[in-house]
Tab-separated table of all heavy atoms in Angstrom:
chain	number	residue	atom	x	y	z
A	1	MET	N	-7.560	10.554	-17.506
A	1	MET	CA	-6.724	9.776	-16.576
A	1	MET	C	-6.529	8.356	-17.094
A	1	MET	O	-7.489	7.681	-17.442
A	1	MET	CB	-7.386	9.702	-15.202
A	1	MET	CG	-7.264	10.983	-14.378
A	1	MET	SD	-5.626	11.193	-13.689
A	1	MET	CE	-5.687	10.066	-12.288
A	2	ALA	N	-5.312	7.939	-17.116
A	2	ALA	CA	-5.036	6.559	-17.496
A	2	ALA	C	-5.454	5.640	-16.354
A	2	ALA	O	-5.411	6.024	-15.187
A	2	ALA	CB	-3.551	6.396	-17.774
A	3	ARG	N	-5.849	4.480	-16.716
A	3	ARG	CA	-6.238	3.555	-15.647
A	3	ARG	C	-4.990	3.145	-14.880
A	3	ARG	O	-3.901	3.036	-15.465
A	3	ARG	CB	-6.968	2.352	-16.244
A	3	ARG	CG	-6.062	1.235	-16.617
A	3	ARG	CD	-6.751	0.074	-17.285
A	3	ARG	NE	-5.792	-0.644	-18.102
A	3	ARG	CZ	-4.884	-1.467	-17.612
A	3	ARG	NH1	-4.839	-1.705	-16.322
A	3	ARG	NH2	-4.024	-2.062	-18.403
A	4	PRO	N	-5.113	2.930	-13.580
A	4	PRO	CA	-3.934	2.499	-12.818
A	4	PRO	C	-3.488	1.105	-13.230
A	4	PRO	O	-4.296	0.292	-13.680
A	4	PRO	CB	-4.416	2.513	-11.364
A	4	PRO	CG	-5.899	2.592	-11.416
A	4	PRO	CD	-6.312	3.055	-12.780
A	5	LEU	N	-2.214	0.882	-13.071
A	5	LEU	CA	-1.704	-0.464	-13.306
A	5	LEU	C	-2.264	-1.387	-12.251
A	5	LEU	O	-2.479	-0.985	-11.107
A	5	LEU	CB	-0.180	-0.465	-13.219
A	5	LEU	CG	0.551	0.306	-14.315
A	5	LEU	CD1	2.012	0.435	-13.946
A	5	LEU	CD2	0.389	-0.363	-15.654
A	6	LYS	N	-2.476	-2.620	-12.649
A	6	LYS	CA	-2.952	-3.596	-11.667
A	6	LYS	C	-1.841	-3.904	-10.671
A	6	LYS	O	-0.683	-4.061	-11.049
A	6	LYS	CB	-3.357	-4.897	-12.363
A	6	LYS	CG	-4.750	-4.857	-12.924
A	6	LYS	CD	-5.178	-6.239	-13.380
A	6	LYS	CE	-4.639	-6.539	-14.762
A	6	LYS	NZ	-5.111	-7.837	-15.281
A	7	SER	N	-2.206	-3.957	-9.425
A	7	SER	CA	-1.232	-4.309	-8.405
A	7	SER	C	-1.895	-5.236	-7.399
A	7	SER	O	-2.781	-4.836	-6.660
A	7	SER	CB	-0.727	-3.051	-7.701
A	7	SER	OG	0.206	-3.399	-6.710
A	8	ASN	N	-1.494	-6.465	-7.421
A	8	ASN	CA	-2.085	-7.455	-6.523
A	8	ASN	C	-1.029	-7.935	-5.547
A	8	ASN	O	0.157	-7.869	-5.829
A	8	ASN	CB	-2.598	-8.655	-7.332
A	8	ASN	CG	-3.725	-8.258	-8.261
A	8	ASN	OD1	-4.603	-7.493	-7.892
A	8	ASN	ND2	-3.698	-8.760	-9.470
A	9	PRO	N	-1.479	-8.418	-4.405
A	9	PRO	CA	-0.487	-8.965	-3.481
A	9	PRO	C	0.220	-10.163	-4.097
A	9	PRO	O	-0.426	-11.037	-4.671
A	9	PRO	CB	-1.316	-9.367	-2.265
A	9	PRO	CG	-2.734	-9.306	-2.675
A	9	PRO	CD	-2.839	-8.499	-3.930
A	10	CYS	N	1.522	-10.145	-4.016
A	10	CYS	CA	2.284	-11.259	-4.567
A	10	CYS	C	2.393	-12.371	-3.534
A	10	CYS	O	2.585	-12.108	-2.363
A	10	CYS	CB	3.683	-10.782	-4.968
A	10	CYS	SG	3.656	-9.856	-6.500
A	11	ASP	N	2.270	-13.563	-3.986
A	11	ASP	CA	2.299	-14.681	-3.042
A	11	ASP	C	3.530	-15.554	-3.254
A	11	ASP	O	3.485	-16.765	-3.172
A	11	ASP	CB	1.019	-15.505	-3.140
A	11	ASP	CG	0.800	-16.030	-4.549
A	11	ASP	OD1	1.657	-15.770	-5.417
A	11	ASP	OD2	-0.213	-16.705	-4.785
A	12	GLU	N	4.645	-14.880	-3.549
A	12	GLU	CA	5.935	-15.554	-3.673
A	12	GLU	C	5.997	-16.520	-4.838
A	12	GLU	O	6.752	-17.478	-4.829
A	12	GLU	CB	6.300	-16.268	-2.354
A	12	GLU	CG	6.310	-15.282	-1.206
A	12	GLU	CD	6.863	-15.860	0.083
A	12	GLU	OE1	7.223	-17.048	0.071
A	12	GLU	OE2	6.949	-15.120	1.062
A	13	THR	N	5.188	-16.251	-5.839
A	13	THR	CA	5.271	-17.045	-7.062
A	13	THR	C	5.546	-16.127	-8.246
A	13	THR	O	5.243	-16.464	-9.373
A	13	THR	CB	3.964	-17.813	-7.322
A	13	THR	OG1	2.883	-16.873	-7.369
A	13	THR	CG2	3.698	-18.824	-6.224
A	14	CYS	N	6.111	-14.961	-7.947
A	14	CYS	CA	6.210	-13.949	-8.990
A	14	CYS	C	7.195	-14.321	-10.083
A	14	CYS	O	8.287	-14.804	-9.828
A	14	CYS	CB	6.617	-12.617	-8.384
A	14	CYS	SG	5.267	-11.936	-7.434
A	15	GLU	N	6.761	-14.053	-11.297
A	15	GLU	CA	7.638	-14.185	-12.448
A	15	GLU	C	7.230	-13.083	-13.409
A	15	GLU	O	6.150	-13.120	-13.990
A	15	GLU	CB	7.483	-15.557	-13.097
A	15	GLU	CG	8.437	-15.732	-14.258
A	15	GLU	CD	8.279	-17.078	-14.944
A	15	GLU	OE1	7.598	-17.967	-14.404
A	15	GLU	OE2	8.825	-17.214	-16.045
A	16	TRP	N	8.100	-12.074	-13.558
A	16	TRP	CA	7.776	-10.905	-14.376
A	16	TRP	C	8.182	-11.132	-15.809
A	16	TRP	O	9.315	-11.519	-16.084
A	16	TRP	CB	8.471	-9.672	-13.802
A	16	TRP	CG	7.847	-9.251	-12.506
A	16	TRP	CD1	8.214	-9.646	-11.252
A	16	TRP	CD2	6.716	-8.394	-12.344
A	16	TRP	NE1	7.369	-9.060	-10.321
A	16	TRP	CE2	6.460	-8.286	-10.968
A	16	TRP	CE3	5.904	-7.683	-13.244
A	16	TRP	CZ2	5.412	-7.508	-10.459
A	16	TRP	CZ3	4.874	-6.912	-12.734
A	16	TRP	CH2	4.635	-6.833	-11.361
A	17	VAL	N	7.260	-10.866	-16.702
A	17	VAL	CA	7.538	-11.038	-18.129
A	17	VAL	C	7.109	-9.791	-18.889
A	17	VAL	O	6.123	-9.134	-18.541
A	17	VAL	CB	6.787	-12.261	-18.705
A	17	VAL	CG1	7.301	-13.545	-18.077
A	17	VAL	CG2	5.292	-12.124	-18.508
A	18	ALA	N	7.863	-9.458	-19.929
A	18	ALA	CA	7.498	-8.342	-20.792
A	18	ALA	C	6.305	-8.745	-21.637
A	18	ALA	O	6.203	-9.891	-22.085
A	18	ALA	CB	8.674	-7.971	-21.686
A	19	THR	N	5.382	-7.827	-21.824
A	19	THR	CA	4.243	-8.077	-22.702
A	19	THR	C	4.391	-7.212	-23.946
A	19	THR	O	5.300	-6.399	-24.046
A	19	THR	CB	2.912	-7.721	-22.012
A	19	THR	OG1	2.843	-6.301	-21.870
A	19	THR	CG2	2.828	-8.384	-20.646
A	20	LYS	N	3.470	-7.376	-24.869
A	20	LYS	CA	3.459	-6.533	-26.062
A	20	LYS	C	2.697	-5.245	-25.807
A	20	LYS	O	2.614	-4.390	-26.678
A	20	LYS	CB	2.823	-7.297	-27.231
A	20	LYS	CG	3.687	-8.429	-27.741
A	20	LYS	CD	3.034	-9.082	-28.958
A	20	LYS	CE	3.988	-9.976	-29.716
A	20	LYS	NZ	4.776	-10.835	-28.841
A	21	LYS	N	2.137	-5.112	-24.618
A	21	LYS	CA	1.364	-3.909	-24.306
A	21	LYS	C	2.297	-2.732	-24.038
A	21	LYS	O	3.382	-2.901	-23.481
A	21	LYS	CB	0.502	-4.150	-23.056
A	21	LYS	CG	-0.683	-5.040	-23.324
A	21	LYS	CD	-1.614	-5.058	-22.131
A	21	LYS	CE	-1.357	-6.265	-21.265
A	21	LYS	NZ	-2.256	-6.341	-20.110
A	22	VAL	N	1.865	-1.548	-24.434
A	22	VAL	CA	2.629	-0.322	-24.197
A	22	VAL	C	1.708	0.681	-23.525
A	22	VAL	O	0.550	0.838	-23.900
A	22	VAL	CB	3.171	0.253	-25.519
A	22	VAL	CG1	3.837	1.599	-25.278
A	22	VAL	CG2	4.142	-0.715	-26.161
A	23	ARG	N	2.226	1.332	-22.509
A	23	ARG	CA	1.438	2.310	-21.767
A	23	ARG	C	2.284	3.579	-21.630
A	23	ARG	O	3.393	3.535	-21.094
A	23	ARG	CB	1.143	1.726	-20.385
A	23	ARG	CG	0.360	2.617	-19.477
A	23	ARG	CD	0.369	1.973	-18.097
A	23	ARG	NE	0.032	2.939	-17.084
A	23	ARG	CZ	-1.208	3.244	-16.734
A	23	ARG	NH1	-2.209	2.627	-17.287
A	23	ARG	NH2	-1.430	4.152	-15.824
A	24	ASP	N	1.764	4.692	-22.131
A	24	ASP	CA	2.508	5.954	-22.103
A	24	ASP	C	3.913	5.779	-22.683
A	24	ASP	O	4.886	6.328	-22.170
A	24	ASP	CB	2.606	6.494	-20.674
A	24	ASP	CG	1.232	6.848	-20.120
A	24	ASP	OD1	0.323	7.126	-20.929
A	24	ASP	OD2	1.066	6.842	-18.895
A	25	GLY	N	4.027	4.993	-23.720
A	25	GLY	CA	5.307	4.796	-24.375
A	25	GLY	C	6.245	3.839	-23.672
A	25	GLY	O	7.381	3.665	-24.095
A	26	GLU	N	5.782	3.228	-22.600
A	26	GLU	CA	6.634	2.302	-21.854
A	26	GLU	C	6.065	0.894	-21.949
A	26	GLU	O	4.857	0.691	-21.881
A	26	GLU	CB	6.697	2.718	-20.378
A	26	GLU	CG	7.288	4.094	-20.197
A	26	GLU	CD	7.273	4.521	-18.743
A	26	GLU	OE1	6.590	3.897	-17.929
A	26	GLU	OE2	7.977	5.501	-18.435
A	27	ARG	N	6.980	-0.068	-22.076
A	27	ARG	CA	6.534	-1.448	-22.144
A	27	ARG	C	5.917	-1.872	-20.812
A	27	ARG	O	6.427	-1.533	-19.744
A	27	ARG	CB	7.718	-2.360	-22.470
A	27	ARG	CG	7.328	-3.811	-22.659
A	27	ARG	CD	8.540	-4.665	-22.934
A	27	ARG	NE	9.169	-4.316	-24.202
A	27	ARG	CZ	8.746	-4.785	-25.375
A	27	ARG	NH1	7.748	-5.611	-25.449
A	27	ARG	NH2	9.367	-4.424	-26.474
A	28	VAL	N	4.824	-2.618	-20.922
A	28	VAL	CA	4.156	-3.123	-19.725
A	28	VAL	C	4.654	-4.535	-19.429
A	28	VAL	O	4.698	-5.383	-20.319
A	28	VAL	CB	2.620	-3.134	-19.908
A	28	VAL	CG1	1.926	-3.751	-18.699
A	28	VAL	CG2	2.104	-1.712	-20.155
A	29	PHE	N	5.042	-4.749	-18.192
A	29	PHE	CA	5.416	-6.078	-17.715
A	29	PHE	C	4.284	-6.625	-16.860
A	29	PHE	O	3.594	-5.866	-16.188
A	29	PHE	CB	6.692	-6.004	-16.862
A	29	PHE	CG	7.951	-5.790	-17.668
A	29	PHE	CD1	8.156	-4.605	-18.352
A	29	PHE	CD2	8.914	-6.774	-17.732
A	29	PHE	CE1	9.316	-4.400	-19.102
A	29	PHE	CE2	10.084	-6.584	-18.473
A	29	PHE	CZ	10.283	-5.401	-19.155
A	30	GLU	N	4.128	-7.937	-16.893
A	30	GLU	CA	3.108	-8.571	-16.075
A	30	GLU	C	3.727	-9.661	-15.233
A	30	GLU	O	4.666	-10.336	-15.649
A	30	GLU	CB	2.023	-9.207	-16.963
A	30	GLU	CG	1.046	-8.202	-17.507
A	30	GLU	CD	-0.047	-8.859	-18.339
A	30	GLU	OE1	0.041	-10.085	-18.588
A	30	GLU	OE2	-0.964	-8.149	-18.739
A	31	CYS	N	3.156	-9.820	-14.042
A	31	CYS	CA	3.586	-10.896	-13.166
A	31	CYS	C	2.717	-12.116	-13.406
A	31	CYS	O	1.499	-12.037	-13.290
A	31	CYS	CB	3.470	-10.449	-11.715
A	31	CYS	SG	3.936	-11.746	-10.575
A	32	LEU	N	3.361	-13.219	-13.758
A	32	LEU	CA	2.600	-14.438	-14.011
A	32	LEU	C	2.046	-15.016	-12.720
A	32	LEU	O	1.093	-15.779	-12.723
A	32	LEU	CB	3.488	-15.487	-14.691
A	32	LEU	CG	4.050	-15.115	-16.060
A	32	LEU	CD1	4.905	-16.269	-16.585
A	32	LEU	CD2	2.941	-14.778	-17.034
A	33	GLY	N	2.660	-14.642	-11.599
A	33	GLY	CA	2.221	-15.201	-10.321
A	33	GLY	C	0.968	-14.531	-9.799
A	33	GLY	O	0.052	-15.194	-9.330
A	34	CYS	N	0.919	-13.211	-9.861
A	34	CYS	CA	-0.202	-12.502	-9.218
A	34	CYS	C	-0.921	-11.548	-10.157
A	34	CYS	O	-1.821	-10.848	-9.725
A	34	CYS	CB	0.306	-11.739	-7.999
A	34	CYS	SG	1.451	-10.430	-8.435
A	35	ASP	N	-0.527	-11.506	-11.437
A	35	ASP	CA	-1.245	-10.702	-12.415
A	35	ASP	C	-1.067	-9.202	-12.220
A	35	ASP	O	-1.829	-8.414	-12.742
A	35	ASP	CB	-2.740	-11.072	-12.398
A	35	ASP	CG	-3.418	-10.717	-13.716
A	35	ASP	OD1	-2.740	-10.843	-14.755
A	35	ASP	OD2	-4.582	-10.313	-13.700
A	36	SER	N	-0.055	-8.792	-11.448
A	36	SER	CA	0.229	-7.368	-11.325
A	36	SER	C	0.891	-6.870	-12.603
A	36	SER	O	1.401	-7.662	-13.401
A	36	SER	CB	1.163	-7.106	-10.143
A	36	SER	OG	0.533	-7.407	-8.930
A	37	GLU	N	0.896	-5.552	-12.759
A	37	GLU	CA	1.527	-4.943	-13.928
A	37	GLU	C	2.579	-3.940	-13.480
A	37	GLU	O	2.498	-3.371	-12.406
A	37	GLU	CB	0.469	-4.223	-14.781
A	37	GLU	CG	-0.544	-5.161	-15.368
A	37	GLU	CD	-1.685	-4.412	-16.041
A	37	GLU	OE1	-2.117	-3.366	-15.520
A	37	GLU	OE2	-2.141	-4.894	-17.071
A	38	TRP	N	3.547	-3.699	-14.363
A	38	TRP	CA	4.625	-2.767	-14.038
A	38	TRP	C	5.125	-2.087	-15.303
A	38	TRP	O	5.179	-2.697	-16.363
A	38	TRP	CB	5.773	-3.532	-13.373
A	38	TRP	CG	6.999	-2.714	-13.109
A	38	TRP	CD1	7.209	-1.907	-12.028
A	38	TRP	CD2	8.178	-2.617	-13.916
A	38	TRP	NE1	8.446	-1.312	-12.131
A	38	TRP	CE2	9.056	-1.728	-13.278
A	38	TRP	CE3	8.567	-3.198	-15.128
A	38	TRP	CZ2	10.303	-1.399	-13.800
A	38	TRP	CZ3	9.808	-2.866	-15.657
A	38	TRP	CH2	10.665	-1.978	-14.989
A	39	THR	N	5.455	-0.804	-15.180
A	39	THR	CA	6.222	-0.113	-16.220
A	39	THR	C	7.397	0.563	-15.528
A	39	THR	O	7.405	0.722	-14.301
A	39	THR	CB	5.394	0.961	-16.955
A	39	THR	OG1	4.958	1.936	-16.011
A	39	THR	CG2	4.204	0.348	-17.667
A	40	ARG	N	8.381	1.007	-16.325
A	40	ARG	CA	9.615	1.475	-15.693
A	40	ARG	C	9.430	2.762	-14.907
A	40	ARG	O	10.282	3.111	-14.093
A	40	ARG	CB	10.741	1.606	-16.705
A	40	ARG	CG	10.539	2.674	-17.757
A	40	ARG	CD	11.791	2.768	-18.619
A	40	ARG	NE	11.648	3.767	-19.661
A	40	ARG	CZ	11.240	3.500	-20.910
A	40	ARG	NH1	10.967	2.266	-21.241
A	40	ARG	NH2	11.116	4.459	-21.794
A	41	SER	N	8.328	3.490	-15.128
A	41	SER	CA	8.099	4.693	-14.334
A	41	SER	C	7.350	4.397	-13.037
A	41	SER	O	7.107	5.308	-12.247
A	41	SER	CB	7.358	5.745	-15.150
A	41	SER	OG	6.094	5.254	-15.529
A	42	SER	N	6.991	3.145	-12.826
A	42	SER	CA	6.354	2.790	-11.557
A	42	SER	C	7.347	2.972	-10.417
A	42	SER	O	8.554	2.863	-10.616
A	42	SER	CB	5.895	1.328	-11.572
A	42	SER	OG	4.976	1.123	-12.619
A	43	ASN	N	6.821	3.240	-9.244
A	43	ASN	CA	7.729	3.551	-8.136
A	43	ASN	C	8.142	2.320	-7.339
A	43	ASN	O	8.297	2.371	-6.131
A	43	ASN	CB	7.112	4.613	-7.221
A	43	ASN	CG	5.793	4.142	-6.642
A	43	ASN	OD1	5.330	3.048	-6.958
A	43	ASN	ND2	5.199	4.952	-5.788
A	44	PHE	N	8.271	1.210	-8.018
A	44	PHE	CA	8.837	0.029	-7.364
A	44	PHE	C	9.551	-0.801	-8.413
A	44	PHE	O	9.374	-0.576	-9.610
A	44	PHE	CB	7.748	-0.801	-6.665
A	44	PHE	CG	6.828	-1.526	-7.618
A	44	PHE	CD1	7.035	-2.872	-7.899
A	44	PHE	CD2	5.776	-0.862	-8.241
A	44	PHE	CE1	6.201	-3.544	-8.782
A	44	PHE	CE2	4.936	-1.529	-9.130
A	44	PHE	CZ	5.142	-2.866	-9.395
A	45	THR	N	10.389	-1.686	-7.965
A	45	THR	CA	11.093	-2.573	-8.881
A	45	THR	C	10.544	-3.977	-8.700
A	45	THR	O	10.565	-4.509	-7.593
A	45	THR	CB	12.606	-2.569	-8.583
A	45	THR	OG1	13.082	-1.227	-8.709
A	45	THR	CG2	13.346	-3.468	-9.554
A	46	PRO	N	10.030	-4.552	-9.751
A	46	PRO	CA	9.441	-5.882	-9.617
A	46	PRO	C	10.497	-6.951	-9.371
A	46	PRO	O	11.510	-7.017	-10.075
A	46	PRO	CB	8.738	-6.104	-10.956
A	46	PRO	CG	9.463	-5.239	-11.910
A	46	PRO	CD	9.974	-4.053	-11.130
A	47	LYS	N	10.257	-7.752	-8.372
A	47	LYS	CA	11.203	-8.816	-8.030
A	47	LYS	C	10.596	-10.174	-8.294
A	47	LYS	O	9.407	-10.394	-8.129
A	47	LYS	CB	11.587	-8.714	-6.552
A	47	LYS	CG	12.442	-7.501	-6.238
A	47	LYS	CD	13.202	-7.741	-4.940
A	47	LYS	CE	14.185	-6.612	-4.668
A	47	LYS	NZ	13.550	-5.455	-4.029
A	48	GLU	N	11.475	-11.066	-8.685
A	48	GLU	CA	11.058	-12.453	-8.874
A	48	GLU	C	10.791	-13.102	-7.523
A	48	GLU	O	11.116	-12.551	-6.468
A	48	GLU	CB	12.164	-13.224	-9.603
A	48	GLU	CG	12.573	-12.625	-10.928
A	48	GLU	CD	11.449	-12.656	-11.953
A	48	GLU	OE1	11.074	-13.754	-12.376
A	48	GLU	OE2	10.941	-11.585	-12.303
A	49	ALA	N	10.223	-14.297	-7.575
A	49	ALA	CA	9.888	-15.003	-6.342
A	49	ALA	C	11.119	-15.197	-5.453
A	49	ALA	O	11.016	-15.209	-4.230
A	49	ALA	CB	9.266	-16.357	-6.678
A	50	ASP	N	12.299	-15.297	-6.052
A	50	ASP	CA	13.511	-15.530	-5.253
A	50	ASP	C	14.201	-14.224	-4.852
A	50	ASP	O	15.303	-14.241	-4.320
A	50	ASP	CB	14.474	-16.450	-6.000
A	50	ASP	CG	14.954	-15.830	-7.319
A	50	ASP	OD1	14.572	-14.678	-7.615
A	50	ASP	OD2	15.699	-16.501	-8.039
A	51	GLY	N	13.555	-13.080	-5.115
A	51	GLY	CA	14.108	-11.812	-4.669
A	51	GLY	C	15.019	-11.133	-5.675
A	51	GLY	O	15.466	-10.016	-5.437
A	52	THR	N	15.307	-11.782	-6.769
A	52	THR	CA	16.155	-11.175	-7.785
A	52	THR	C	15.306	-10.330	-8.739
A	52	THR	O	14.086	-10.410	-8.726
A	52	THR	CB	16.902	-12.242	-8.598
A	52	THR	OG1	15.939	-13.054	-9.274
A	52	THR	CG2	17.759	-13.119	-7.693
A	53	VAL	N	15.984	-9.549	-9.551
A	53	VAL	CA	15.306	-8.763	-10.574
A	53	VAL	C	15.705	-9.355	-11.923
A	53	VAL	O	16.892	-9.583	-12.187
A	53	VAL	CB	15.715	-7.286	-10.483
A	53	VAL	CG1	15.036	-6.473	-11.571
A	53	VAL	CG2	15.351	-6.726	-9.106
A	54	SER	N	14.728	-9.615	-12.747
A	54	SER	CA	15.014	-10.316	-13.998
A	54	SER	C	15.829	-9.450	-14.957
A	54	SER	O	15.782	-8.220	-14.911
A	54	SER	CB	13.718	-10.758	-14.672
A	54	SER	OG	13.094	-9.644	-15.298
A	55	ASP	N	16.564	-10.096	-15.829
A	55	ASP	CA	17.380	-9.388	-16.812
A	55	ASP	C	16.517	-8.486	-17.694
A	55	ASP	O	16.919	-7.394	-18.074
A	55	ASP	CB	18.137	-10.385	-17.698
A	55	ASP	CG	19.248	-11.080	-16.931
A	55	ASP	OD1	19.646	-10.579	-15.862
A	55	ASP	OD2	19.703	-12.134	-17.391
A	56	GLU	N	15.333	-8.966	-18.023
A	56	GLU	CA	14.431	-8.158	-18.855
A	56	GLU	C	14.049	-6.866	-18.152
A	56	GLU	O	13.986	-5.813	-18.766
A	56	GLU	CB	13.154	-8.952	-19.162
A	56	GLU	CG	13.149	-9.637	-20.497
A	56	GLU	CD	11.793	-10.261	-20.804
A	56	GLU	OE1	11.142	-10.760	-19.865
A	56	GLU	OE2	11.413	-10.245	-21.974
A	57	VAL	N	13.775	-6.960	-16.868
A	57	VAL	CA	13.407	-5.767	-16.092
A	57	VAL	C	14.605	-4.830	-15.992
A	57	VAL	O	14.473	-3.611	-16.175
A	57	VAL	CB	12.892	-6.160	-14.695
A	57	VAL	CG1	12.768	-4.940	-13.791
A	57	VAL	CG2	11.536	-6.856	-14.801
A	58	LEU	N	15.781	-5.373	-15.728
A	58	LEU	CA	16.984	-4.542	-15.634
A	58	LEU	C	17.247	-3.826	-16.954
A	58	LEU	O	17.594	-2.647	-16.972
A	58	LEU	CB	18.192	-5.403	-15.247
A	58	LEU	CG	18.192	-5.912	-13.808
A	58	LEU	CD1	19.339	-6.886	-13.599
A	58	LEU	CD2	18.263	-4.767	-12.817
A	59	ALA	N	17.057	-4.525	-18.043
A	59	ALA	CA	17.276	-3.923	-19.354
A	59	ALA	C	16.286	-2.782	-19.569
A	59	ALA	O	16.634	-1.734	-20.129
A	59	ALA	CB	17.122	-4.973	-20.459
A	60	GLU	N	15.058	-2.978	-19.138
A	60	GLU	CA	14.048	-1.943	-19.276
A	60	GLU	C	14.423	-0.708	-18.439
A	60	GLU	O	14.308	0.424	-18.894
A	60	GLU	CB	12.685	-2.490	-18.828
A	60	GLU	CG	11.533	-1.515	-18.954
A	60	GLU	CD	11.091	-1.280	-20.396
A	60	GLU	OE1	11.544	-2.022	-21.282
A	60	GLU	OE2	10.305	-0.339	-20.618
A	61	LEU	N	14.898	-0.934	-17.227
A	61	LEU	CA	15.269	0.183	-16.349
A	61	LEU	C	16.438	0.968	-16.928
A	61	LEU	O	16.541	2.173	-16.705
A	61	LEU	CB	15.620	-0.348	-14.962
A	61	LEU	CG	14.437	-0.798	-14.110
A	61	LEU	CD1	14.910	-1.555	-12.888
A	61	LEU	CD2	13.592	0.397	-13.706
A	62	ARG	N	17.322	0.300	-17.636
A	62	ARG	CA	18.477	0.986	-18.201
A	62	ARG	C	18.113	1.909	-19.351
A	62	ARG	O	18.915	2.728	-19.762
A	62	ARG	CB	19.516	-0.041	-18.690
A	62	ARG	CG	20.421	-0.535	-17.575
A	62	ARG	CD	21.636	-1.246	-18.134
A	62	ARG	NE	21.287	-2.457	-18.857
A	62	ARG	CZ	21.260	-3.674	-18.305
A	62	ARG	NH1	21.559	-3.840	-17.046
A	62	ARG	NH2	20.951	-4.731	-19.028
A	63	GLN	N	16.894	1.781	-19.874
A	63	GLN	CA	16.481	2.595	-21.027
A	63	GLN	C	16.179	4.036	-20.652
A	63	GLN	O	16.070	4.880	-21.514
A	63	GLN	CB	15.212	2.009	-21.666
A	63	GLN	CG	15.463	0.767	-22.461
A	63	GLN	CD	14.198	0.321	-23.159
A	63	GLN	OE1	13.431	1.158	-23.620
A	63	GLN	NE2	13.963	-0.970	-23.236
A	64	THR	N	15.978	4.312	-19.379
A	64	THR	CA	15.515	5.651	-19.022
A	64	THR	C	16.606	6.695	-19.138
A	64	THR	O	17.738	6.446	-19.220
A	64	THR	CB	14.971	5.685	-17.573
A	64	THR	OG1	15.873	5.001	-16.724
A	64	THR	CG2	13.623	5.039	-17.547
B	1	LIG	ZN1	3.592	-11.129	-8.462
């Protein structure tokens, strides 16, 4: 079993950035605000503090 991605409560300071980490062939994104992690197969879409979705995340979602 792969370890679960970290998921912490976001406190409205979220800023999602792509990392160099890869999990199951998918790039891992991390939130600078709350240290949560995301990959494109996760069942949620990471949003920035202002409610938008970053271009990097959108580009990642388009790869599927
Ligand atoms: Zn966050």
Side-chain angles (χ1 to χ4, degrees):
M1 283 285 282
R3 90 184 155 77
L5 293 169
K6 277 190 278 184
S7 180
N8 296 318
C10 284
D11 58 2
E12 303 189 359
T13 56
C14 289
E15 183 181 348
W16 289 91
V17 295
T19 70
K20 290 184 166 45
K21 286 189 263 181
V22 174
R23 179 189 161 86
D24 296 335
E26 299 177 346
R27 184 182 295 277
V28 176
F29 286 66
E30 282 182 353
C31 178
L32 298 180
C34 65
D35 203 35
S36 294
E37 295 172 322
W38 174 84
T39 60
R40 66 175 179 266
S41 62
S42 300
N43 59 358
F44 71 99
T45 302
K47 291 201 174 83
E48 304 295 293
D50 62 2
T52 62
V53 179
S54 77
D55 289 342
E56 262 187 324
V57 169
L58 289 173
E60 181 73 11
L61 286 169
R62 276 195 296 267
Q63 285 185 37
T64 46

